[in-house]
Amino acid sequence: MMSHEAFVFLSYAATGLILAGLLAVIVLDGRARKRELAELEAQGVRRRSQPSGGSKS
């Protein structure tokens, strides 16, 4: 049977691993989105929020 201290340690370790994994996924996904955005901008695609130089009324 597992002692209370071992259970607590394993619980904290599992939580730490899960949080580290989530952080890694977020960071890697952010880098991928930035790379995709840079590729689109290199192709001439612009954001709608970016001024295009011409005004539409």
Side-chain angles (χ1 to χ4, degrees):
M1 189 167 186
M2 191 183 327
S3 69
H4 177 72
E5 292 84 12
F7 174 77
V8 171
F9 174 75
L10 290 174
S11 297
Y12 275 104
T15 301
L17 287 173
I18 291 169
L19 289 176
L22 288 171
L23 181 62
V25 167
I26 290 169
V27 168
L28 292 174
D29 187 59
R31 289 180 182 176
R33 296 310 120 219
K34 285 183 181 181
R35 189 170 41 252
E36 288 177 4
L37 184 58
E39 289 174 4
L40 288 171
E41 288 179 345
Q43 294 173 5
V45 178
R46 298 287 176 227
R47 299 181 202 184
R48 283 185 270 168
S49 60
Q50 184 178 12
S52 61
S55 64
K56 295 180 182 177
S57 296

